[in-house]
């Protein structure tokens, strides 16, 4: 794969308090002021007709990772309860609201917050679940930072400060060999 000044957009994303380690390549020297916000979001990604506490919640009760937040009539009310209760029983990574019309065996209108990272919702009518999304992506142009004719090579990025350590690979610039 060849890359030139007309190509850009490499982004490295991490959560607050986490640090990515990049190895295996010649670093690009990009001034701090060159970075611009590309996408930032903190909020709920809500899925209708999905139950993220299916078979694990206790009616009007708490488990080790699923907390009962009260009875609510709308998804926005359950979302708000999950955010407001974060300092007591949370913080919550997701929430689930069983709607008034749900056929969930006595769980109607009950709102639950999940403190673990489990996101494996089961399809269920009239139940809504939301996952907390934290996105902080910055971008910069790489025009002029490398000579024309350079190509990409594989590098390694690890995030050892995450609760669940993540490791992945991306491509970076490499000088083209002359034959």
């Amino acid at each position: 794969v060849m890359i030139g000044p007309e190509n850009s957009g490499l982004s490295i994303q991490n959560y607050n308090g986490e640090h990515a380690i990049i190895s295996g390549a010649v670093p690009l020297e990009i001034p701090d002021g060159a970075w611009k916000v590309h996408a930032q979001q903190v909020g709920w990604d809500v899925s209708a007709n999905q139950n993220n506490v299916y078979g694990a919640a206790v009616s009007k009760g708490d488990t080790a990772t699923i907390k009962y937040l009260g009875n609510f009539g709308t998804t926005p009310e359950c979302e708000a309860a999950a955010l407001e209760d974060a300092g007591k029983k949370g913080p919550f990574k997701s929430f689930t609201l069983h709607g008034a019309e749900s056929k969930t065996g006595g769980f109607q209108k009950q709102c639950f917050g999940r403190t673990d990272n489990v996101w494996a919702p089961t399809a269920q009518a009239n139940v809504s679940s939301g996952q907390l999304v934290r996105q902080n992506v910055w971008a910069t142009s790489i025009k002029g930072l490398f000579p024309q004719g350079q190509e990409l090579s594989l590098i390694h990025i690890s995030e050892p400060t995450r609760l669940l350590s993540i490791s992945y690979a991306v491509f970076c610039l490499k000088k083209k060999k002359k034959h």
Side-chain angles (χ1 to χ4, degrees):
V1 176
M2 297 295 291
I3 190 168
E6 68 278 2
N7 307 107
S8 67
L10 173 66
S11 66
I12 299 170
Q13 178 179 340
N14 62 281
Y15 292 99
N16 289 340
E18 296 176 348
H19 304 284
I21 297 173
I22 304 170
S23 60
V26 176
L28 295 175
E29 294 189 24
I30 301 171
D32 290 343
W35 293 95
K36 305 282 185 257
V37 173
H38 176 71
Q40 288 184 325
Q41 173 189 356
V42 176
W44 298 107
D45 184 14
V46 180
S47 300
N49 299 314
Q50 297 292 318
N51 184 344
N52 196 46
V53 297
Y54 185 83
V58 175
S59 181
K60 297 185 181 179
D62 295 342
T63 70
T65 59
I66 300 171
K67 309 302 181 185
Y68 172 69
L69 300 175
N71 281 13
F72 300 99
T74 67
T75 300
E77 290 174 323
C78 184
E79 289 177 30
L83 289 175
E84 289 170 18
D85 199 81
K88 299 174 190 158
K89 295 182 180 182
F92 299 108
K93 310 289 183 175
S94 65
F95 74 86
T96 297
L97 175 67
H98 297 82
E101 304 298 316
S102 67
K103 308 241 186 295
T104 53
F107 281 82
Q108 288 81 359
K109 293 189 172 185
Q110 290 185 40
C111 173
F112 296 91
R114 264 198 113 116
T115 59
D116 57 13
N117 288 314
V118 172
W119 181 253
T122 300
Q124 192 168 23
N126 300 306
V127 178
S128 295
S129 292
Q131 183 177 31
L132 187 60
V133 174
R134 294 180 188 274
Q135 184 180 37
N136 186 18
V137 179
W138 293 67
T140 189
S141 172
I142 58 171
K143 286 182 180 180
L145 293 178
F146 56 94
Q148 255 184 316
Q150 286 188 337
E151 60 184 76
L152 294 174
S153 67
L154 193 62
I155 64 169
H156 175 255
I157 298 176
S158 64
E159 296 180 284
T161 54
R162 292 192 67 137
L163 291 174
L164 299 171
S165 187
I166 288 182
S167 188
Y168 49 95
V170 296
F171 290 94
C172 71
L173 300 173
K174 176 182 169 185
K175 287 185 181 178
K176 185 176 181 179
K177 292 182 181 178
K178 294 182 182 181
H179 297 282

